[in-house]
């Protein structure tokens, strides 16, 4: 039995932070941000709300689309780097708010690859026959961990959530067909939040040294991201006897337009095969792929039997690709 995506939803906060706004906060320019990253604006969640607020809204869109009640959900997986709290898991807040009274669930931290890791994990429970309805959510409130005095990072990130429902596929052709996932901890020094974990708990000193904020060596991550994503997309196509031309839509993690463009060119995809929305939202970490998928679905860019490839790269390093045949009309 294969696992298939049978509903997809998303949530974006109302508040918009434009490149012009950032020009007033740090030494940057709209032109630099647009040409180096492809980003024009990003969304920022209210300070008094957590990641679960967005996860719940995205999940509610999925339930409405499918016309099912939350009580039918068997499992909730929340991929996030920015949990509401360290304990309990954000999935618990989502369960409570949705009143999903017949499920279990957990958080999964796969950084920017979190949604792909969660999708592959959720699929196991459908494929085994153990569960029939798994909610997979990617949600991040990056504004909570970004230093708005650091121009290297604050221009990149935004807040959002996306969610999908996994169910048994209608037939054996449809649904998740393959995935290639990787983890390489030798990349851990290039993208991290050094303090606030068990290794270096928060102290006045760590806060004074801004160690609770996200640090990134952008240049190094960029190179690994292009190479890693190109390799896993090329490999998954080859392993499944597909060529670039067979793919209806490539839905990549949206970290930098130049990364996506380089990967697409290297694996032989035309621009019209690539889903892009980085311009509007920036990098929303675990939310980029389900958010892009939800918008692609709304724009009717995917139809039953279409081959869809996703790919991501993030802190860890984590990276991977996932191939599916789209089930919905
Ligand atoms: O999603 C998780 C994975 N993350 C990624 O995939 C991100 C990967 N990295 C990137 O997307 C890019 O490396 C960045 C967008 C972060 C940076 O772009 P870059 O082309 O690698 O720029 P750079 O870091 O090499 O900086 C080039 C110049 C530097 O000035 P000098 O040393 O040449 O004088 C920076 O100080 O641009 C400067 N710079 C800026 N200038 C204006 C860095 N940030 C800014 C800024 N505005 N916001």
């Amino acid at each position: 039995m294969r696992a298939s995506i049978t509903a997809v939803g998303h949530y974006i906060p109302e508040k918009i932070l434009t490149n012009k706004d950032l020009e007033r906060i740090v030494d940057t320019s709209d032109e630099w941000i647009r040409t180096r990253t492809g980003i024009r604006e990003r969304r920022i969640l209210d300070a008094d709300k957590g990641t679960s607020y967005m996860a719940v809204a995205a999940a509610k869109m999925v339930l409405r689309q499918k016309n099912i009640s939350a009580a039918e959900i068997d499992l909730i997986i929340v991929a996030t780097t920015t949990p509401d709290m360290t304990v309990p898991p954000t999935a618990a807040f989502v369960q409570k708010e949705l009143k999903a009274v017949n499920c279990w669930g957990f958080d999964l931290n796969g950084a920017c690859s979190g949604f792909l890791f969660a999708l592959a994990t959720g699929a196991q429970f459908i494929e085994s026959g153990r569960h029939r309805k798994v909610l997979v959510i990617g949600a991040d409130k990056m504004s909570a961990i970004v230093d708005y005095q650091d121009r290297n990072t604050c221009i990149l990130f935004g807040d959002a959530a996306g969610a999908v429902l996994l169910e048994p596929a209608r037939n054996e052709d449809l649904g998740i067909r393959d995935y290639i996932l990787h983890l390489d901890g030798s990349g851990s020094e290039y993208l991290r939040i050094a303090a606030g974990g068990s290794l270096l708990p928060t102290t006045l000193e760590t806060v004074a040294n801004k160690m609770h904020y996200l640090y990134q060596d952008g240049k190094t991550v960029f190179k690994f991201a292009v190479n890693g994503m190109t390799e896993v997309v090329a490999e998954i196509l080859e392993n499944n006897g597909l060529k670039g031309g067979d793919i209806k839509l490539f839905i990549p993690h949206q970290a930098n337009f130049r990364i996506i463009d380089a990967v697409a060119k290297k694996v032989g995809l035309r621009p019209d095969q690539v889903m892009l929305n980085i311009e509007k939202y920036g990098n929303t970490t675990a939310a980029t792929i389900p958010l892009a998928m939800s918008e692609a679905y709304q724009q009717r860019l995917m139809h039953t039997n279409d081959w869809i490839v996703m790919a991501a790269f993030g802190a860890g390093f984590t990276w991977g690709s996932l191939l599916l045949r789209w089930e919905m009309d």
Side-chain angles (χ1 to χ4, degrees), residues 27-29 32-33 36-37 112 151-152 155-157 191 216 218-219 221-222 225 253 255-256 258-259 283 313-315:
D27 179 17
T28 190
S29 69
W32 191 97
I33 301 172
R36 296 291 181 122
T37 71
C112 288
R151 69 176 185 173
N152 291 302
I155 54 127
L156 298 171
F157 295 97
L191 184 45
Q216 174 172 244
K219 249 189 174 41
V221 178
F222 188 102
H253 171 53
N256 188 320
R258 291 187 295 131
I259 295 176
N283 183 348
F313 191 94

